[in-house]
């Protein structure tokens, strides 16, 4: 039987997990002492690009993986059942039954130890070498047959992929709906914030603050897009950072049901934790895989761009027969500490 202290330890591990725009879109409840129920927070999920719950499901998948790994550190196995109440209860994501077990091996325990340190790093350049052996070590943590991880560490391969990621990133600033969704989560100061992302976390320099604030107004963004603003943003957030990174990873999935996407979130977290263990910094790029999958309600031009992104991704994965490309990870080494995003208080996650 889990003690109260152990239960808190598990929930705290879940709270550390990543979520798109730091939305933290989940809630929990205990059924007795050994069954944990996880839900999507209806007020923080299912809107706009999350209308089919892809982003929230990925986030809750990461929460589940963190909790299951953390349970191993206290001698428990977590048996996960996804959507335990069926399709009619789309917000009831998982039930995890805990039982005492010594199944946690050293490599899983080592991933668990990295849960608090894992974070997003948007700085660049990332340096160092990520050789084939390191890529293979990262690929080895993927433990679900529906998923694969492709590693790219050759300069030309990385250069070939950049336009695909940049095109998708550009779309985020060319559609009013996507643009507003991004800026809704920006905290326009440099204070620590329990939700969203502040200017330091986003890597916005002091001299860029005013310009960034102006871009948050859609009419301004629209006018500046005519002058190439969205392309400039993609250049700064995708082209330059990725050109200056020693490797890229692409998480792939062969199925896209909600269960599969929650499992993609679990695999995302495992890969991210492994990179953290290896001292690698990570930035995720979700736009190419996720936007081309969900086909959001955007203009005709943007939909055409997303179709082109989708066929680029298919070409990339077809030759490697690994399913559909879902998430890119930019990885490499960079010295110094970064400012991390905040989290809400634990009590706010109780259903
Ligand atoms: C499904 C998902 C998609 C994400 N997409 C992006 C992205 O496209 N670009 C980016 O810079 N960060 C992305 N992130 C990182 C989140 O913004 C980040 O996890 C969140 O702000 C919490 O910060 P942390 O990762 O440092 O804990 C994504 C995270 C998740 C889970």
């Amino acid at each position: 039987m889990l003690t109260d202290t152990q239960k808190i330890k598990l929930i705290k591990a879940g709270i550390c997990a990543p979520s798109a725009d730091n939305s933290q879109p989940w809630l929990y409840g205990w059924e007795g002492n050994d069954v944990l129920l996880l839900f999507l927070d209806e007020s923080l999920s299912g809107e706009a690009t999350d209308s089919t719950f892809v982003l929230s499901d990925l986030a809750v998948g990461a929460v589940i993986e963190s909790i299951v790994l953390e349970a191993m550190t206290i001698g428990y196995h977590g048996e996960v059942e996804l959507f335990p109440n069926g399709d009619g209860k789309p917000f009831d994501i998982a039930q995890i039954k805990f039982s005492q077990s010594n199944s946690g091996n050293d490599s899983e325990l080592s991933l668990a130890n990295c849960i608090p340190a894992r974070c997003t790093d948007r700085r660049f350049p990332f340096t160092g070498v990520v050789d084939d052996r390191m890529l293979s070590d990262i690929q080895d943590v993927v433990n679900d047959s529906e998923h694969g991880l492709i590693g790219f560490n050759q300069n030309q391969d990385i250069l070939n992929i950049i336009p695909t990621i940049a095109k998708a990133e550009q779309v985020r600033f060319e559609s009013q709906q996507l643009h507003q969704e991004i800026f809704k989560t920006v905290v326009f100061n440099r204070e620590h914030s329990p939700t969203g992302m502040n200017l330091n976390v986003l890597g916005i320099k002091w001299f860029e603050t005013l310009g960034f604030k102006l871009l948050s107004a859609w009419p301004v963004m629209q006018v500046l897009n005519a002058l190439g603003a969205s392309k400039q943003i993609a250049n700064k957030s995708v082209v330059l950072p990725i050109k200056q990174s020693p490797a890229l990873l692409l998480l792939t999935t062969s199925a896209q049901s909600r269960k599969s996407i929650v499992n993609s979130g679990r695999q995302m977290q495992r890969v991210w934790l492994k990179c953290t263990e290896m001292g690698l910094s990570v930035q995720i790029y979700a736009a190419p895989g996720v936007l081309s999958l969900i086909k959001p309600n955007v203009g005709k031009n943007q939909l055409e761009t997303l179709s082109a992104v989708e066929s680029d991704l298919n070409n990339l994965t077809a030759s490697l027969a690994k399913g559909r490309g879902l998430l890119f990870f930019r990885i490499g080494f960079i010295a110094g500490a970064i400012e991390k995003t905040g989290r809400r208080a634990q009590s706010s996650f109780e259903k």
Side-chain angles (χ1 to χ4, degrees):
M1 197 171 85
L2 288 165
T3 64
D4 285 349
T5 313
Q6 288 173 324
K7 288 199 243 175
I8 290 171
K9 192 171 160 59
L10 297 183
I11 299 304
K12 284 201 164 147
I15 291 175
C16 290
S19 54
D21 302 323
N22 200 19
S23 54
Q24 306 162 59
W26 61 282
L27 298 169
Y28 75 91
W30 287 98
E31 206 173 72
N33 283 314
D34 293 320
V35 178
L36 176 63
L37 304 174
L38 295 176
F39 308 90
L40 283 189
D41 183 333
E42 296 190 32
S43 66
L44 295 174
S45 57
E47 291 287 319
T49 49
D50 195 39
S51 60
T52 52
F53 301 108
V54 170
L55 290 168
S56 293
D57 287 345
L58 286 168
V60 183
V63 171
I64 294 170
E65 189 61 22
S66 302
I67 291 174
V68 169
L69 286 168
E70 189 71 18
M72 289 179 188
T73 70
I74 52 170
Y76 274 82
H77 166 74
E79 188 65 35
V80 179
E81 187 186 348
L82 296 180
F83 298 97
N85 300 320
D87 292 347
K89 294 275 185 188
F91 294 95
D92 298 8
I93 302 283
Q95 172 181 280
I96 311 180
K97 278 190 188 149
F98 295 97
S99 55
Q100 273 180 317
S101 146
N102 290 323
S103 63
N105 60 38
D106 286 350
S107 52
E108 298 294 287
L109 294 174
S110 174
L111 291 184
N113 284 337
C114 295
I115 289 171
R118 182 220 55 82
C119 63
T120 300
D121 195 337
R122 296 184 178 84
R123 296 173 300 168
F124 57 92
F126 287 173
T127 57
V129 174
V130 178
D131 61 21
D132 290 349
R133 174 72 197 271
M134 293 165 79
L135 288 180
S136 157
D137 285 348
I138 303 170
Q139 284 161 332
D140 282 349
V141 298
V142 173
N143 65 355
D144 179 85
S145 60
E146 275 183 355
H147 291 87
L149 189 73
I150 311 176
F152 304 93
N153 59 3
Q154 298 300 310
N155 202 27
Q156 192 54 50
D157 291 341
I158 294 172
L159 290 177
N160 289 345
I161 296 168
I162 289 176
T164 304
I165 306 179
K167 270 187 284 197
E169 197 69 17
Q170 222 175 303
V171 166
R172 300 178 74 196
F173 294 88
E174 289 173 356
S175 138
Q176 181 173 9
Q177 186 201 51
L178 301 190
H179 166 272
Q180 289 183 343
E181 202 174 24
I182 294 174
F183 280 100
K184 211 168 65 183
T185 60
V186 174
V187 179
F188 279 97
N189 60 42
R190 294 174 192 277
E191 311 288 315
H192 186 74
S193 167
T195 57
M197 294 169 292
N198 74 18
L199 298 173
N200 288 342
V201 164
L202 287 169
I204 307 296
K205 307 270 174 0
W206 286 98
F207 59 87
E208 296 167 329
T209 309
L210 182 61
F212 191 64
K213 177 85 191 145
L214 285 172
L215 291 181
S216 68
W218 174 243
V220 176
M221 185 84 237
Q222 239 180 333
V223 170
L224 293 180
N225 274 346
L227 304 170
S230 60
K231 196 165 181 195
Q232 276 303 109
I233 293 174
N235 192 49
K236 190 196 167 218
S237 60
V238 174
V239 180
L240 293 177
I242 298 183
K243 264 189 183 165
Q244 300 176 66
S245 298
L248 268 184
L249 307 171
L250 176 60
L251 180 69
T252 65
T253 175
S254 57
Q256 289 107 47
S257 68
R258 285 198 62 195
K259 270 188 190 171
S260 301
I261 298 293
V262 174
N263 283 327
S264 305
R266 294 187 67 173
Q267 299 306 316
M268 168 190 76
Q269 179 71 340
R270 292 179 64 78
V271 169
W272 208 329
L273 291 171
K274 183 66 187 177
C275 291
T276 306
E277 181 200 296
M278 294 166 73
L280 288 161
S281 282
V282 174
Q283 180 178 11
I284 286 241
Y285 290 98
V290 171
L291 292 182
S292 65
L293 175 67
I294 62 182
K295 313 242 171 1
N297 186 14
V298 293
K300 186 170 165 285
N301 290 348
Q302 287 81 43
L303 271 183
E304 275 169 19
T305 305
L306 292 179
S307 293
V309 167
E310 189 170 29
S311 64
D312 288 356
L313 285 178
N314 288 342
N315 290 339
L316 204 56
T317 51
S319 57
L320 300 151
K322 290 267 182 73
R324 186 190 177 97
L326 191 61
L327 292 169
F328 283 100
F329 301 67
R330 171 175 80 90
I331 59 173
F333 296 94
I334 186 165
I338 55 158
E339 182 168 326
K340 289 175 68 173
T341 49
R343 293 293 187 271
R344 305 195 319 263
Q346 188 191 326
S347 56
S348 71
F349 289 88
E350 283 168 24
K351 189 169 164 82

